[in-house]
Amino acid sequence: FLSRAIVDERAGAPGIARRRGRLALRRLALPGLWSGVSAEAPPRARIVLTGPNGAGKSRLLGVIAGLEAPSAGHVTIDGRDADARRLAARRRLVALAGADAPLLRGTLGRNLRYGARLRGPAARAALDMGGHDALIAGLAEGAQTRLGPGGAGLSAGQRARAGLLRA
């Protein structure tokens, strides 16, 4: 079961983008997985979720991102109920990367720019942190590499890296 023990504020958690804002979970529940989950992440915190397979870590992230509604409780971002925000506004605040994150048909570069909110030095720093140059260097056509449905044309590891860079 998901418990407070898996919400771990480790200052050294690598590679998690810093954003402004406070995230709060209040008495969240998903039947058969967990109930009464409450936690708070202050601005610029880095949080690591750990736990056994099936504990609900991915589902919790889906609830935070607005992909799934909890059966009880609520998520707040900067003190405002996340469900009260328009979905487009919520997506600007929460980025989710995972093995199932779909890639768009088109070029790798288009995928990496999709939904981009960072510009200039901040964008370059995020790309460097995510291993952008190593990903591009491993492809004959670099950022112009054409992707098919679901990221066809990239290995599973390259797709995962592309999803992380986009987020």
Side-chain angles (χ1 to χ4, degrees):
F1 289 110
L2 191 66
S3 69
R4 286 182 196 210
I6 70 167
V7 179
D8 184 7
E9 290 187 42
R10 294 184 191 173
I16 300 172
R18 289 182 167 189
R19 304 283 305 177
R20 69 169 211 264
R22 177 176 299 279
L23 173 70
L25 313 177
R26 300 289 182 238
R27 298 175 301 284
L28 291 180
L30 276 181
L33 285 177
W34 31 262
S35 64
V37 171
S38 293
E40 204 165 297
R44 299 187 182 268
R46 296 177 186 202
I47 307 298
V48 177
L49 294 178
T50 62
N53 291 341
K57 300 177 299 292
S58 295
R59 301 264 315 264
L60 176 61
L61 294 174
V63 168
I64 292 168
L67 302 175
E68 183 171 359
S71 58
H74 61 276
V75 174
T76 64
I77 302 171
D78 288 332
R80 186 170 167 207
D81 190 333
D83 288 333
R85 296 176 185 270
R86 291 191 337 256
L87 189 54
R90 189 167 181 174
R91 287 185 177 155
R92 283 191 297 273
L93 296 170
V94 179
L96 187 60
D100 298 327
L103 294 175
L104 307 170
R105 206 180 294 219
T107 67
L108 174 61
R110 176 180 178 233
N111 274 275
L112 298 182
R113 289 187 305 275
Y114 181 78
R117 295 176 296 275
L118 298 177
R119 302 278 186 259
R124 185 71 243 172
L127 291 172
D128 289 346
M129 183 174 63
H132 173 269
D133 292 344
L135 173 63
I136 297 300
L139 300 169
E141 296 182 47
Q144 296 307 309
T145 299
R146 305 256 343 138
L147 305 183
L154 297 178
S155 70
Q158 290 168 326
R159 286 192 306 270
R161 174 64 47 112
L164 179 63
L165 283 164
R166 183 174 62 194

